[in-house]
Amino acid sequence: VEKSGMIDTWMRKHRLIYSGATKHPFILSIRDGTVDLEAFKTWLGQDYIFVRAFAPFVASVLIKAWKESDDSSDMEVILSGMASLNDEIAWFKSEAAKWGVQLSEVVPQKANQDYCRFLESLMSPDVEYTVAMTAFWAIEAVYQASFALCLEDGSKTPAELTETCRRWGNDGFGQYCNSLQKIANRRLGKTPDDVLSKAEVTLLRVLEHEVEFWNMSHGSA
Ligand code: HMH
């Protein structure tokens, strides 16, 4: 079996759940301009909490890369991701102030708690670098694809939300996601089948958590 393009194979195999995460009704409402701004504020506050848990997860991937990677350039890619998270946390604070969202008062909702707990489970030293890297790529790729959709020609994204969409939908972030995908593919191409199965299950869990995360803002009954 050719394993080198495993991510692409999995994307085709799990196409429906992937598009469920990247073309969620909340994202589509931003894109068509009908977004409820209260829902946007909910997302903003909840995502700030998520990003604060995501940073230590990325730090754990950095540690795994340092210990396990066969390519020293992986570390630079991961480190650049950590540097952008520093920026991102500052951005959340200024954006929240603009929208009148009091970040210190945001209570994490259940979907957010579940997702953060899942991230924490991936920080364990028992989780292979390849598995953690696959999750890392998927987490970033969902946001990239989702927000890029809101910037496409013909989208009616409200002006006050375009900066948010550009944060994750810009080309630079797209290239960063491609670098993460390349690392994941390289690792998956030389990993034993049991680890490969774990990585695939982890990818599916990420996609499910992303859908639940969007659901917090855009109630799905
Ligand atoms: C829920 N997934 C969620 N929040 C984010 N900020 C990202 C992915 C991308 O960093």
Side-chain angles (χ1 to χ4, degrees):
V1 185
E2 177 54 66
K3 292 179 184 170
S4 61
M6 199 47 72
I7 295 283
D8 314 78
T9 304
W10 286 344
M11 299 264 268
R12 278 193 296 273
K13 185 173 166 193
H14 305 297
R15 181 168 200 55
L16 274 179
I17 169 137
Y18 181 74
S19 51
T22 56
K23 294 176 179 166
H24 188 275
F26 176 65
I27 283 296
L28 298 179
S29 78
I30 294 178
R31 182 187 155 91
D32 70 17
T34 63
V35 61
D36 172 1
L37 292 177
E38 285 307 311
F40 177 77
K41 290 198 230 173
T42 299
W43 167 80
L44 190 72
Q46 293 295 320
D47 211 46
Y48 171 73
I49 293 172
F50 176 83
V51 168
R52 292 193 71 91
F54 186 54
F57 165 72
V58 179
S60 78
V61 180
L62 185 73
I63 293 168
K64 292 185 207 294
W66 172 63
K67 290 193 174 174
E68 293 177 49
S69 183
D70 49 313
D71 186 333
S72 63
S73 67
D74 291 6
M75 193 184 256
E76 277 87 331
V77 176
I78 301 162
L79 210 45
S80 78
M82 291 209 66
S84 345
L85 285 176
N86 183 37
D87 243 44
E88 206 162 293
I89 285 175
W91 176 82
F92 271 104
K93 288 180 181 168
S94 75
E95 194 66 14
K98 251 194 258 175
W99 290 91
V101 174
Q102 205 62 45
L103 289 176
S104 58
E105 278 160 30
V106 175
V107 178
Q109 292 186 28
K110 183 172 183 301
N112 202 356
Q113 284 173 10
D114 290 348
Y115 202 174
C116 292
R117 215 174 295 125
F118 170 74
L119 282 185
E120 206 175 335
S121 73
L122 294 176
M123 294 182 215
S124 159
D126 298 338
V127 173
E128 294 83 357
Y129 174 51
T130 306
V131 172
M133 197 62 217
T134 303
F136 183 22
W137 162 77
I139 293 166
E140 298 289 41
V142 165
Y143 261 44
Q144 200 279 327
S146 298
F147 285 111
L149 205 63
C150 302
L151 298 171
E152 279 178 358
D153 283 345
S155 60
K156 302 190 184 75
T157 299
E160 62 268 43
L161 300 189
T162 51
E163 193 193 309
T164 300
C165 299
R166 274 198 213 106
R167 241 204 119 79
W168 290 277
N170 76 78
D171 291 340
F173 195 79
Q175 269 148 33
Y176 161 67
C177 291
N178 286 339
S179 304
L180 295 178
Q181 182 171 342
K182 245 179 103 176
I183 296 171
N185 267 328
R186 190 194 76 236
R187 298 288 309 188
L188 291 164
K190 34 181 143 170
T191 208
D193 281 347
D194 62 319
V195 179
L196 205 56
S197 305
K198 275 196 242 177
E200 186 175 12
V201 169
T202 302
L203 164 62
L204 289 173
R205 291 293 93 82
V206 167
L207 297 176
E208 287 162 7
H209 280 297
E210 288 290 336
V211 170
E212 291 300 324
F213 200 92
W214 293 132
N215 284 349
M216 285 189 298
S217 309
H218 201 86
S220 80

